[in-house]
Amino acid sequence: MKRLLLTCLALVCACQMIFAQSAAAQAPGPLQTVLQAHAKDVAKPSRKTIQPVIDAIVASGLEPVPGFLSAWADKSVWQRKEDGLFFIGEEVAKRTYALTDVDSGAVVAEVAKKELKQLKPNSGVRGLIATALVQFQLSDPNPETRAAALLAIERAPGAALLAPLRASIPAEADPVLLARKTRIERLLTIGYDEDTAARVAAIEEMSGDLGVDVRAALNPLVARKLNVATELPEGENIADILIPGEGDLTVEAAYDLLVAAEGVPPRTTPEMIKAVLADNINGGFVAGVPVAQFTDLQTRLSAYAKLAAAGQAPGLVNDAEVQSALDLHVFYETYAEPNAAVTTAAEAALSSISTRVGLNQSLDLGLDAISLASIYFLAAIGLAITFGLMGVINMAHGEFIMMGAYTGYVVQQVIPNHTASIIVAIPLAFAVTFAAGVAMERLVIRHLYNRPLETLLATFGISIALQQLAKNIFGTQARPLTAPGWLDGAWAINDVVSISYIRIAIFVLALIFLAVFLFIMNRSRLGLETRAVTQNPRMAAAMGINPERVNMLTFGLGSGIAGIAGVAIGLYAKVTSELGSDYIVQSFMTVVVGGVGNIWGALLGAGMIGTLQKGIEWLNPSNTLAAQTYMIIFIIIFIQFRPRGIIALKGRAAGD
Amino acid sequence: MSRSFIAKNPSVLVFLAGLALFTLLVTVFSEGFGVGGLSTSFVKTLGKTLCLCLVAIAMDLIWGYCGILSLGHFAFFGLGGYMVGMWLMYARTEIIVEGALAQGAIPPTSQEVIDGIGTQIFGVVGSSEFPSIWAFSDSLILQLMMVVLVPGLLALIFGWLAFRSRVTGVYLSILTQAMTLALALYLFQNDSGLRGNNGLSGLQNLPGVSASQDVVSIWFLWASAFALGAGYVLAAFVVSGKFGSVIRGIRDNEARVRFLGYPVESFKLMLFTLTAMIAAIAGALYYPQAGIINPAEIAPIASIYLAVWVAIGGRGRLYGAVLGAAFVSLVSTWFTGGQAPDINLGFYTIQWVDWWQVILGLSFVFVTLYAPKGIGGLFDLIKTGEKS
Amino acid sequence: MSMNTLLEVSGVSVSFDGFKAINNLSFQIAPAELRAVIGPNGAGKTTFMDIVTGKTKPDEGRVLWGEKSISLLSMNEAAIARAGVGRKFQKPTVFEDQTVSENLMMALSADRGWWSVLWFRPKAENRDRVAELAEEVGLLDQLPRLAGELSHGQKQWLEIGMLLAQEPRLLLVDEPAAGMTPEEREHTTDLLVEVAKTRAVVVVEHDMEFVRRLNCKVTVLHEGSVLAEGGLDHVTADPQVIDVYLGR
């Protein structure tokens, strides 16, 4: 009995040993089994054939699948030539690899490289593997991996991803990722869910959403394809029936479609007739008609008809025949998505989205207009002082703006830090253009008060000289004036409405200018004296104000502000010697349209011109040049009705 | 315009005689008709200068006499060039296209010829269709009428709007500048129907004329001289007598003229339109000599230069405008053409191409400040010198 | 409007930025009458003339002209001038760059359309008329001189001459005596009295002595409306007028 027992024990041990041995050497693990079932495709994968293999691997539901898939994609899976088994290999010594079992994860052997064959899936296959991996990554403990997986889904959505995505949602702890998952789940549902009701529900749910991704999910559903048939087919999701010659479908396009679809003979074009006639010239005649007579289309036609009748040319397919061929057919558009309920819901959702997009685009346009208006206001505010208050036409005002911008550029050459350089550049630009303005007032304008046309001409001369001078110093190419890093980027309110920080900064700067202007004019001594001198210079002089000094300082102030505006505009536009002349006409328009002598007028003028220009650009987006043309024409007409501008000074104060 | 008018204005006779002498001298020394000595390109420059003198006279009429500083008259000049350029380009391309199509086995239909011309002319802006504004381009007579009608009508509409709303002085100047800018920007578009910024080119080749440029340049010199002479006489007639009194009155005190009962607006409108037409005729003669016209020619700066010429020559006197335009444009050509020798200062080389603009701008400031009568003012000095 | 009224202004008001320059003003003048308008600064004298000549459009009221009672409000300055309203400004405004004879020739009554002006060449009768006018205002020997070279008084005279050359039915004369010598003033008074025999003349004047010499009906304006009207002695006795003139 004891012996028997020992024998049995020995047997069991032996069996166990045999079993263990075979497990290591012969009996493959469950994943290996799956792999071996598709060994050929796994070893030499191609994008076309690999999907069922990947599906089978994933469907096995085995624990080591994700590890294997990522190793496979990383090209670290090797096949042992001896028995065709797959292992994850790692180079441990030169030309020697440690093989890890795909199931157990244990190192089973170290083998020389020559006995192995590396699996090198191409990028297409790797993409498919990555997609398959996504569902595992969705529940990965590392949030970054989960985020990467979501990004992968967004890039390559597919029906297969819907179920794993849904499965991963309840366990998601991160609120941001949860929101993203939910959103993507909705979008995938729209595209791939098998249940129509669920899709329609998802479409309706997202129909108020402005995201580009929603439109990207909906648009493919309602993509249309033009078809032709003798009768309208049953069971297709038909979007529209088209009649050739009406709407977007031309007769020519319809017939060309028919030619392509049913092989009917193509239309006989004048070029074809000409070519056929040229091929059949016989001693200066074609079918008995002298070649010289072919300056007439009718003659060509009749000659061609004769050729066709003689069988020397294909029969003439004229308009009547084209029309009768078209009449026998029906042209219709089908949706890419066969399910009518889904397409109907998608169309409705898209139309509701496009309404909202339109509304938001108007908002965006409004923001654009405001930012353009702030630029015009900045360019014009100095002019509102020199021209509006003092009545001095300074055509070199634009060149002062340019000088400010170049000052900013030069400062940036010296101080590389962008923030510091802008902080230095603004007062320096003011100082430079203030000095230039004072010099110009002393040397030129002082002698020309009350001779506005002469002032205009003399300052033109200065403008020409300054512009060329800038060209001589800085060259003709644009110089960069770089904004500080914290002004990069844009404030995006949603996918439609966004505004760049630099424009916000310019808007804020315009507000600051307005405040400074109001403060100087209404609260400071200079403002008081300026108003006194502009209203009645002799009386002001009698009160002990020195009008010359006041004029000089006021002009300097206006010019200095132009310099600061130059820095701001330089950040937004390119700095060239023509920078100023680009703005001068608009600046004058701003002041004239708004009403001379009134800062609020300049503000309204800038607002009106900015809005107008953006509005016209919106109506005709392809052509900003035309927008400017129409804007100027509008202004000329506007001045008919309000010759003194929006805010008009009435009566004697306005002067004549 | 009676004979007595010219007899009463000896300065007009002096000018006409001088112009005739100049034209004859140039002809005598030309390559085409004379003994040589003046290159054909220089003859063209002189012919163009005569056209510039004519537009300067128009500018002087409207600004020097009537006080309207128009910054739009060079736009009318350019429009005139465009109008004549349309016919030149159409007719010449027609000859080329007909020649090319005649090479084919089958003679072309008229539609094929027109399509061919369209492709040739508008291919550069990606089109082959003739825009409707080219409707008359196949007829020289109609297109020549367009030379005065189109700028005239534009001036009439613009002037009516501007004068009616009593826009005066610098406001009007800025408004005319805006008009010029609008027109230039419009023409810069590819779908303006006038080939966008390519403009119209090859205008120096007269269709159906086999004569060489040496000869054609003299034809145009004579035509320009004739136009200038006629323009001078017309302008002298307009500014003489009561009409001249009224427009100078408008310049000096518009309100006073109005209280005298004169419809100031219609005087201004008439003069604005007339001078626009004169400018357009000058442009129509200028651009066939220049060979090319593009929207850059119309840019506001060109009209400003026109004002510069008249101011430097001396506004309010016709010969002043002529002198200013001739002097400044010829000197400009000389400096910017690279003919003026550069001055090497050792540490810096003064290149006139770069510095001429600066000098011109500053000299303009100088003239405005210290010599408001311009070059013409020198004649006053001589006259007063003779008297004393 | 009676047959004997050339100009009737009634119920006219105008305000500039809230300030009422003219307030419910009414005024009438006969075809051949001399009238002096007096009033302190800011009484609305110049604005009144601006309204009649079309330079300023009133907010309300009527301005009727001539036998047919045409409204002047719908006409522009030039049309009103052609209808027969002549105006002389306070500051002499003549065309300084042109000769005296050119100034007078321009003012001479004739077709004002640009076409006929363009072809206008002075005939003997026009030159005679210019000489006649120049003689009347004492500038006969100054005809070829530039107006800008004249003395202040001569410019005033030239402007009066131009006004007469227009042959207006109504003359609005703003402070004609300003800057004139006593002899010139006397001459001016005589001329205005003479002219007023055939047409209506409204003289705006500060100088009471001058007004007294005109010896005509006086209208006193104050704060944009008529304060008193009548003979000079009558209005100067009016306590309100005294208050306005002396009270401040």
Side-chain angles (χ1 to χ4, degrees):
Chain A
M1 182 64 205
K2 195 179 181 179
R3 208 178 136 201
L4 187 76
L5 204 74
L6 275 171
T7 315
C8 287
L9 197 69
L11 252 169
V12 169
C13 285
C15 285
Q16 273 180 337
M17 276 185 74
I18 290 163
F19 185 78
Q21 231 176 346
S22 67
Q26 277 92 36
L31 178 56
Q32 188 69 267
T33 315
V34 176
L35 292 178
Q36 288 304 320
H38 304 277
K40 224 181 196 173
D41 287 331
V42 173
K44 288 205 165 175
S46 91
R47 196 187 153 81
K48 281 179 189 159
T49 55
I50 201 68
Q51 192 61 53
V53 182
I54 295 175
D55 289 346
I57 295 171
V58 173
S60 71
L62 294 164
E63 194 206 342
V65 165
F68 169 77
L69 285 178
S70 48
W72 191 13
D74 287 349
K75 300 185 190 171
S76 45
V77 171
W78 300 72
Q79 189 176 27
R80 190 156 63 192
K81 289 179 184 169
E82 175 194 348
D83 51 10
L85 292 180
F86 297 100
F87 297 95
I88 295 165
E90 190 187 0
E91 191 167 24
V92 286
K94 203 169 180 206
R95 309 196 67 78
T96 307
Y97 283 76
L99 297 185
T100 308
D101 186 85
V102 290
D103 284 287
S104 65
V107 176
V108 290
E110 285 188 9
V111 182
K113 191 183 177 189
K114 62 179 183 216
E115 291 179 27
L116 298 170
K117 197 172 144 267
Q118 189 181 10
L119 269 52
K120 293 181 181 168
N122 63 26
S123 65
V125 174
R126 287 204 305 276
L128 294 177
I129 296 172
T131 309
L133 261 174
V134 160
Q135 49 188 292
F136 301 105
Q137 292 164 346
L138 282 173
S139 309
D140 196 280
N142 185 350
E144 278 173 33
T145 313
R146 300 206 295 277
L150 289 175
L151 199 63
I153 298 181
E154 282 176 328
R155 287 205 186 123
L161 297 168
L162 186 53
L165 180 62
R166 277 188 185 149
S168 78
I169 288 176
E172 182 59 58
D174 187 318
V176 178
L177 286 177
L178 181 64
R180 271 187 76 190
K181 278 185 176 175
T182 321
R183 181 177 182 84
I184 296 168
E185 187 271 331
R186 294 281 81 195
L187 297 175
L188 287 184
T189 307
I190 291 174
Y192 305 103
D193 199 303
E194 286 168 5
D195 176 17
T196 306
R199 295 177 72 182
V200 172
I203 290 170
E204 281 165 1
E205 200 174 310
M206 301 303 275
S207 67
D209 199 294
L210 288 178
V212 178
D213 51 352
V214 176
R215 275 169 278 162
L218 290 174
N219 277 324
L221 300 180
V222 295
R224 295 171 178 210
K225 184 174 174 290
L226 181 63
N227 299 293
V228 59
T230 44
E231 269 177 36
L232 208 57
E234 298 276 325
E236 290 212 40
N237 189 2
I238 291 168
D240 201 2
I241 296 169
L242 302 176
I243 294 158
E246 289 174 23
D248 290 339
L249 184 64
T250 62
V251 170
E252 286 77 15
Y255 193 77
D256 288 347
L257 185 71
L258 201 58
V259 171
E262 304 201 350
V264 294
R267 277 177 306 129
T268 317
T269 60
E271 290 76 26
M272 287 161 65
I273 294 178
K274 197 175 174 185
V276 167
L277 292 179
D279 286 345
N280 287 287
I281 296 175
N282 194 352
F285 289 85
V286 177
V289 182
V291 169
Q293 286 183 12
F294 286 145
T295 55
D296 180 51
L297 272 182
Q298 218 50 49
T299 322
R300 287 187 187 181
L301 269 178
S302 60
Y304 185 91
K306 282 183 197 167
L307 286 177
Q312 286 166 293
L316 190 69
V317 181
N318 57 21
D319 288 350
E321 281 167 57
V322 165
Q323 195 56 53
S324 60
L326 291 180
D327 287 345
L328 292 175
H329 292 83
V330 59
F331 292 84
Y332 61 97
E333 283 178 331
T334 51
Y335 285 116
E337 165 65 43
N339 191 323
V342 170
T343 50
T344 312
E347 289 276 21
L350 277 172
S351 112
S352 111
I353 287 174
S354 85
T355 314
R356 292 186 53 136
V357 165
L359 281 174
N360 278 277
Q361 269 170 345
S362 342
L363 180 65
D364 194 46
L365 198 71
L367 287 177
D368 268 5
I370 289 173
S371 91
L372 190 67
S374 353
I375 288 163
Y376 285 152
F377 181 71
L378 274 185
I381 186 166
L383 215 57
I385 297 175
T386 55
F387 176 51
L389 278 180
M390 300 173 69
V392 172
I393 311 298
N394 180 15
M395 280 290 161
H397 182 81
E399 276 56 48
F400 286 167
I401 294 176
M402 169 200 81
M403 277 165 77
Y406 272 121
T407 307
Y409 164 73
V410 171
V411 168
Q412 280 200 339
Q413 301 311 298
V414 181
I415 307 173
N417 181 305
H418 289 156
T419 307
S421 63
I422 295 298
I423 291 171
V424 173
I426 286 179
L428 199 64
F430 181 86
V432 167
T433 48
F434 180 88
V438 166
M440 192 165 121
E441 204 274 341
R442 287 285 88 186
L443 293 172
V444 180
I445 290 169
R446 185 164 64 102
H447 306 287
L448 298 172
Y449 278 122
N450 301 322
R451 284 157 67 193
L453 286 182
E454 268 89 345
T455 315
L456 187 148
L457 288 171
T459 51
F460 257 141
I462 295 170
S463 149
I464 294 168
L466 283 178
Q467 224 179 87
Q468 184 62 41
L469 215 55
K471 231 175 253 174
N472 293 353
I473 297 171
F474 295 102
T476 43
Q477 74 271 44
R479 298 290 177 176
L481 180 55
T482 319
W486 47 269
L487 278 179
D488 288 345
W491 177 41
I493 297 163
N494 59 35
D495 278 12
V496 180
V497 186
S498 74
I499 179 164
S500 63
Y501 289 126
I502 200 144
R503 282 164 171 254
I504 296 175
I506 286 175
F507 178 70
V508 170
L509 196 64
L511 286 183
I512 293 173
F513 270 35
L514 179 65
V516 167
F517 181 94
L518 288 174
F519 176 79
I520 290 178
M521 282 305 143
N522 297 336
R523 292 272 182 277
S524 78
R525 180 84 198 161
L526 177 63
L528 182 69
E529 292 185 356
T530 306
R531 281 180 290 144
V533 170
T534 40
Q535 279 162 21
N536 192 337
R538 275 154 82 195
M539 182 62 93
M543 304 284 285
I545 298 170
N546 179 354
E548 295 221 344
R549 194 185 132 269
V550 169
N551 278 336
M552 184 182 83
L553 289 180
T554 314
F555 195 83
L557 179 71
S559 311
I561 288 180
I564 301 181
V567 177
I569 291 172
L571 291 175
Y572 154 88
K574 291 222 158 54
V575 184
T576 66
S577 61
E578 269 126 37
L579 175 80
S581 51
D582 290 345
Y583 285 94
I584 189 73
V585 175
Q586 275 91 340
S587 301
F588 271 106
M589 286 291 162
T590 302
V591 177
V592 171
V593 163
V596 172
N598 191 315
I599 188 69
W600 299 108
L603 190 66
L604 284 176
M608 194 180 105
I609 291 183
T611 314
L612 219 94
Q613 183 159 345
K614 280 292 156 195
I616 300 171
E617 274 177 26
W618 178 72
L619 291 175
N620 183 8
S622 62
N623 211 326
T624 50
L625 286 179
Q628 292 200 36
T629 308
Y630 294 132
M631 185 191 74
I632 293 169
I633 292 170
F634 180 89
I635 289 171
I636 291 173
I637 293 167
F638 175 82
I639 288 177
Q640 297 304 303
F641 298 101
R642 295 216 68 134
R644 290 187 196 280
I646 300 172
I647 295 186
L649 299 176
K650 264 176 81 185
R652 282 198 191 172
D656 280 301
Chain B
M1 234 176 291
S2 58
R3 186 181 292 161
S4 66
F5 157 70
I6 293 182
K8 276 183 209 152
N9 289 272
S11 69
V12 175
L13 278 180
V14 171
F15 178 81
L16 290 179
L19 183 64
L21 185 68
F22 167 82
T23 315
L24 278 174
L25 277 177
V26 174
T27 311
V28 166
F29 289 103
S30 70
E31 302 277 345
F33 283 93
V35 296
L38 292 176
S39 72
T40 296
S41 72
F42 189 64
V43 170
K44 281 189 177 181
T45 303
L46 292 176
K48 286 191 285 183
T49 305
L50 294 180
C51 299
L52 296 178
C53 292
L54 180 56
V55 67
I57 285 178
M59 184 68 184
D60 198 17
L61 269 184
I62 195 71
W63 178 35
Y65 284 89
C66 199
I68 299 170
L69 176 52
S70 162
L71 297 177
H73 269 59
F74 219 83
F76 299 129
F77 182 86
L79 269 185
Y82 263 108
M83 289 306 134
V84 84
M86 283 159 80
W87 175 78
L88 284 168
M89 205 159 173
Y90 182 92
R92 193 175 132 73
T93 313
E94 185 177 33
I95 292 172
I96 295 170
V97 165
E98 275 177 348
L101 288 177
Q103 304 292 315
I106 305 287
T109 62
S110 56
Q111 189 57 45
E112 280 171 345
V113 172
I114 289 173
D115 289 347
I117 300 170
T119 313
Q120 274 287 315
I121 294 182
F122 299 108
V124 69
V125 288
S127 168
S128 61
E129 297 274 311
F130 269 99
S132 51
I133 51 171
W134 286 69
F136 306 121
S137 58
D138 55 340
S139 157
L140 175 60
I141 303 292
L142 288 176
Q143 204 61 38
L144 284 181
M145 284 166 69
M146 304 271 279
V147 165
V148 288
L149 288 182
V150 169
L153 196 67
L154 178 63
L156 196 70
I157 293 170
F158 177 85
W160 185 76
L161 287 172
F163 300 142
R164 192 188 72 98
S165 54
R166 300 262 172 103
V167 181
T168 54
V170 286
Y171 295 90
L172 187 62
S173 302
I174 294 168
L175 211 58
T176 52
Q177 194 188 19
M179 176 201 76
T180 310
L181 183 67
L183 187 67
L185 289 176
Y186 180 77
L187 289 174
F188 263 118
Q189 300 170 67
N190 275 346
D191 53 3
S192 65
L194 288 165
R195 307 197 343 143
N197 63 354
N198 305 288
L200 307 181
S201 54
L203 308 184
Q204 72 276 21
N205 304 304
L206 296 185
V209 170
S210 54
S212 73
Q213 287 294 310
D214 295 345
V215 174
V216 171
S217 65
I218 293 296
W219 293 356
F220 270 106
L221 178 81
W222 278 77
S224 306
F226 180 78
L228 177 59
Y232 195 93
V233 172
L234 175 69
F237 174 75
V238 165
V239 300
S240 71
K242 202 165 164 186
F243 193 92
S245 273
V246 172
I247 59 172
R248 278 180 291 154
I250 292 172
R251 174 190 68 192
D252 296 335
N253 192 340
E254 185 176 322
R256 186 74 183 87
V257 178
R258 209 172 266 133
F259 284 121
L260 283 177
Y262 288 97
V264 168
E265 284 68 37
S266 55
F267 276 77
K268 289 206 267 190
L269 187 56
M270 178 260 163
L271 200 66
F272 192 70
T273 310
L274 175 74
T275 51
M277 288 172 165
I278 296 176
I281 291 170
L285 284 165
Y286 180 94
Y287 286 104
Q289 302 183 69
I292 181 165
I293 179 167
N294 57 47
E297 298 280 323
I298 289 178
I301 192 76
S303 291
I304 294 165
Y305 280 130
L306 182 57
V308 172
W309 299 338
V310 175
I312 288 181
R315 56 187 192 269
R317 57 186 89 209
L318 296 173
Y319 61 88
V322 172
L323 278 178
F327 175 72
V328 183
S329 69
L330 283 177
V331 173
S332 284
T333 312
W334 191 64
F335 275 120
T336 55
Q339 280 133 310
D342 295 341
I343 296 177
N344 195 340
L345 297 176
F347 60 93
Y348 184 78
T349 305
I350 296 180
Q351 289 178 311
W352 288 115
V353 178
D354 288 345
W355 287 93
W356 164 243
Q357 289 286 75
V358 179
I359 294 171
L360 183 67
L362 294 180
S363 64
F364 192 37
V365 178
F366 178 83
V367 166
T368 315
L369 281 180
Y370 302 109
K373 289 180 174 178
I375 302 174
L378 293 174
F379 288 81
D380 290 355
L381 289 179
I382 296 166
K383 270 187 201 163
T384 44
E386 278 171 358
K387 272 184 195 167
S388 57
Chain C
M1 187 153 135
S2 76
M3 281 299 288
N4 211 22
T5 306
L6 179 65
L7 175 77
E8 183 187 329
V9 175
S10 55
V12 166
S13 296
V14 65
S15 57
F16 302 126
D17 294 330
F19 165 69
K20 275 221 158 169
I22 296 285
N23 188 9
N24 195 20
L25 178 86
S26 295
F27 180 91
Q28 289 188 4
I29 191 164
E33 186 192 341
L34 182 60
R35 176 76 63 88
V37 173
I38 62 171
N41 273 332
K45 301 184 299 275
T46 305
T47 310
F48 163 67
M49 286 182 137
D50 285 349
I51 288 173
V52 175
T53 53
K55 192 178 171 201
T56 301
K57 295 286 171 216
D59 301 332
E60 53 187 286
R62 294 185 304 169
V63 179
L64 300 177
W65 169 259
E67 292 74 23
K68 290 178 185 161
S69 294
I70 307 158
S71 171
L72 292 184
L73 296 181
S74 56
M75 295 159 79
N76 64 26
E77 294 102 308
I80 291 172
R82 285 197 298 273
V85 180
R87 178 173 187 181
K88 192 208 155 296
F89 291 84
Q90 195 170 335
K91 235 174 79 186
T93 44
V94 294
F95 300 104
E96 310 215 341
D97 259 12
Q98 306 194 33
T99 63
V100 171
S101 88
E102 279 174 317
N103 268 286
L104 287 171
M105 194 64 87
M106 212 196 301
L108 218 55
S109 169
D111 189 345
R112 300 297 207 218
W114 65 265
W115 182 252
S116 53
V117 170
L118 185 61
W119 296 102
F120 176 88
R121 297 291 135 173
K123 294 183 201 67
E125 57 188 88
N126 303 124
R127 287 200 202 88
D128 291 348
R129 177 78 184 123
V130 165
E132 196 182 306
L133 284 161
E135 192 169 14
E136 208 173 337
V137 296
L139 291 172
L140 189 55
D141 50 345
Q142 310 286 345
L143 275 178
R145 281 185 74 191
L146 286 182
E149 296 169 356
L150 300 178
S151 74
H152 182 81
Q154 284 174 317
K155 283 181 191 168
Q156 296 276 37
W157 280 113
L158 175 56
E159 202 182 356
I160 293 172
M162 289 166 73
L163 198 58
L164 295 175
Q166 278 178 262
E167 293 172 17
R169 299 182 62 197
L170 168 68
L171 281 82
L172 300 171
V173 190
D174 202 350
E175 301 198 21
M180 282 188 172
T181 62
E183 295 81 51
E184 284 172 335
R185 280 163 182 253
E186 202 168 326
H187 187 180
T188 311
T189 340
D190 295 346
L191 190 74
L192 290 175
V193 171
E194 180 62 31
V195 168
K197 285 178 183 160
T198 50
R199 53 197 88 190
V201 178
V202 176
V203 182
V204 168
E205 190 50 78
H206 270 306
D207 187 339
M208 282 301 180
E209 214 33 59
F210 187 87
V211 173
R212 182 170 300 283
R213 230 178 285 146
L214 288 176
N215 190 25
C216 64
K217 194 171 168 186
V218 174
T219 300
V220 185
L221 288 190
H222 177 58
E223 289 179 350
S225 38
V226 175
L227 189 68
E229 208 164 59
L232 185 62
D233 293 329
H234 169 76
V235 297
T236 46
D238 190 314
Q240 270 185 296
V241 175
I242 294 168
D243 190 41
V244 163
Y245 265 90
L246 304 176
R248 46 179 88 183

